[in-house]
Amino acid sequence: MSFPQLRIGLGLDVHPFSSVEQRPLVLAGVHLEGERGLVGHSDADVVAHAVADALLGAAGLGDLGRHFPDDSPQHLGADSLAILASVKEMVEAKGWRLVNADCTVVAQTPRLSPYLDAMSANLSTLIGAPISLKAASPELLGALGRSEGIACMAVALLVADER
Ligand code: MG
């Protein structure tokens, strides 16, 4: 019996909250109405970035910043779901496809539980594989606990595409 070729990848991203009131908060492509947004060169979607980084890592393609530099005018204000879609194409071009991914979003505020299903559905539909999302509280500890930003961790499992 032959064992399928598998690769695992880890992604981590952190973005600080913006002091600009009008900046929207977008997580996994979901706009959290009325919540303070994050600072970033793109739309600062910390969840999409962590998943993209996990996919790139699993495929041995380096980190997100290597492919989407944060000083490139081309990616200013970019939709991170479009970035994630490009990463999926890059990974598939290397002969891999995603089995599943799992993420933990660490945020003191806002409360994410009402949005997790929509966020997960957005990512799963985009990638065509199950992507689960969980929220964790930093329990008031450190910068994340002071609501200075949001972090996200992701793991992704790839299998060699034999099709
Ligand atoms: Mg980022």
Side-chain angles (χ1 to χ4, degrees):
M1 192 185 109
S2 68
F3 194 71
Q5 262 211 82
L6 300 169
R7 292 284 187 280
I8 192 166
L10 171 70
L12 171 67
D13 197 30
V14 187
H15 282 263
F17 278 115
S18 169
S19 53
V20 181
E21 298 233 334
Q22 296 83 356
R23 197 170 161 91
L25 178 61
V26 179
L27 297 176
V30 174
H31 178 205
L32 282 73
E33 207 85 41
E35 301 293 348
R36 193 159 47 125
L38 298 167
V39 179
H41 186 68
S42 65
D43 63 4
D45 189 331
V46 68
V47 179
H49 293 177
V51 173
D53 221 29
L55 283 167
L56 289 171
L61 288 167
D63 56 50
L64 195 60
R66 178 168 132 192
H67 301 281
F68 301 91
D70 65 6
D71 55 2
S72 148
Q74 197 194 333
H75 305 122
L76 184 64
D79 173 355
S80 295
L81 289 193
I83 290 176
L84 185 55
S86 309
V87 165
K88 170 185 155 55
E89 278 174 21
M90 288 161 57
V91 165
E92 288 177 351
K94 286 268 283 186
W96 299 102
R97 77 187 153 81
L98 183 67
V99 176
N100 78 303
D102 182 42
C103 315
T104 298
V105 192
V106 187
Q108 190 67 49
T109 52
R111 234 174 73 82
L112 298 177
S113 53
Y115 305 99
L116 291 175
D117 286 350
M119 287 159 62
S120 167
N122 247 0
L123 296 181
S124 302
T125 302
L126 179 77
I127 300 283
I131 301 185
S132 51
L133 268 159
K134 310 176 306 292
S137 164
E139 302 292 350
L140 301 170
L141 287 171
L144 295 174
R146 290 189 296 271
S147 296
E148 292 176 13
I150 295 179
C152 185
M153 283 173 279
V155 286
L157 183 68
L158 303 181
V159 64
D161 198 345
E162 310 288 356
R163 287 177 294 188

